[in-house]
Amino acid sequence: MRGALLCLLSAAAFATLGIFGKLASDAGANVASSLLVRFVLAALVFALILPVTGRWAALRGLPRRVVVTGLGLGAFGYSLQSALFFAAIERLDVSMVALLLYTYPAFVTLAAIALGRAAPSLRTGVALTVASAGLVLVLLAGGGGGFEAVGALLALGASLTYTTYILVSDGVIADVDPFALALLVLTGAAASFTVGGLATGSLDLALSGEAWLWLVLLALVSTVVAVSAFFAGLRRVGPSEAAILSTFEPPVTVVLAFLILGERLTAPQIAGGA
């Protein structure tokens, strides 16, 4: 039960990602700057959390394989997924991007079964089918704007990248404290965006106070809370169940989009959320 609750908490925190990202963009922050600030601040927070909670020792003596995998997850997996997601929400409504992104639970479950990490069962199949049907109801009418093929491809790319990220994370999560793994992942992502931003000259940190507010919330809520809760939940329930429980995110995103961005919440969306 605790693992399931952690996955739900993670999903609710991740649901704020597109909202804060849109608000930061409207306040003048570009994608490269937003993601750099997000990952650098989040990595610093985890670097403070580990010694305060007595978890710093968990980082020492880790096998090289775990350290390299954790940094690689951030530098290549999480950074790419985030870049694709943010690029997609610049072209499509947040709700449409969420719908396309949430094809990943099906990909994760099928891949986990194919890799022998999960056993096929009627219960899992029914749960995934019902959750997916709910997502369609919640999000089908969610995109009030136009549909753009490039944006859709970016969102599907984010889905496939996140699928790989979850499966690789599951391979090392049992060997490392989830907070220590989070620090490695976020450090790798921060390094990736630092190098990329400097190489392309796309970084602009001369931002307004409003933009900084949304970016700080993006780092603390959408990243620190979301990532730590997800890893802790993944460790307890496994990749398939974690992916299915994470389908709680899009209904929360739709509600937040309604309350904060003024998007319309329709009856089918309410039914799908239920």
Side-chain angles (χ1 to χ4, degrees):
M1 177 61 72
R2 186 178 180 185
L5 291 176
L6 285 167
C7 289
L8 292 175
L9 172 62
S10 170
F14 272 127
T16 66
L17 181 62
I19 307 299
F20 292 144
K22 278 282 192 184
L23 292 171
S25 177
D26 291 343
N30 63 29
V31 172
S33 302
S34 296
L35 291 174
L36 175 64
V37 172
R38 175 195 182 192
F39 289 119
V40 169
L41 288 181
L44 289 174
V45 170
F46 274 102
L48 293 173
I49 289 175
L50 261 66
V52 169
T53 58
R55 295 169 179 261
W56 193 256
L59 202 57
R60 295 197 301 266
L62 282 176
R64 181 178 298 179
R65 175 187 68 86
V66 174
V67 174
V68 171
T69 300
L71 292 172
L73 279 169
F76 302 104
Y78 205 20
S79 59
L80 177 59
Q81 189 271 341
S82 298
L84 291 170
F85 177 85
F86 271 67
I89 65 173
E90 287 193 330
R91 292 167 171 80
L92 295 174
D93 289 342
V94 173
S95 53
M96 180 61 72
V97 173
L99 173 61
L100 295 172
L101 176 65
Y102 268 80
T103 55
Y104 88 81
F107 295 146
V108 170
T109 301
L110 292 173
I113 292 172
L115 294 171
R117 298 187 188 180
S121 70
L122 179 62
R123 180 184 182 186
T124 299
V126 170
L128 185 56
T129 300
V130 171
S132 298
L135 284 176
V136 171
L137 287 173
V138 169
L139 299 170
L140 192 58
F147 183 84
E148 186 189 285
V150 173
L153 290 174
L154 289 168
L156 287 172
S159 173
L160 290 170
T161 304
Y162 200 49
T163 297
T164 305
Y165 170 82
I166 289 176
L167 292 170
V168 175
S169 298
D170 183 58
V172 299
I173 192 66
D175 302 323
V176 59
D177 180 89
F179 280 72
L181 180 58
L183 176 58
L184 291 172
V185 169
L186 294 171
T187 299
S192 178
F193 282 108
T194 299
V195 173
L198 292 175
T200 60
S202 57
L203 295 179
D204 178 14
L205 300 180
L207 304 172
S208 66
E210 181 185 356
W212 277 107
L213 170 63
W214 301 129
L215 292 181
V216 169
L217 290 173
L218 189 71
L220 297 181
V221 178
S222 310
T223 310
V224 173
V225 173
V227 170
S228 57
F230 179 77
F231 278 142
L234 176 65
R235 191 175 191 178
R236 289 170 170 82
V237 303
S240 296
E241 188 170 345
I244 292 172
L245 287 166
S246 293
T247 58
F248 183 57
E249 178 184 336
V252 177
T253 299
V254 170
V255 171
L256 291 176
F258 169 69
L259 295 174
I260 298 172
L261 302 179
E263 292 188 51
R264 184 184 177 191
L265 191 64
T266 65
Q269 289 176 303
I270 295 172

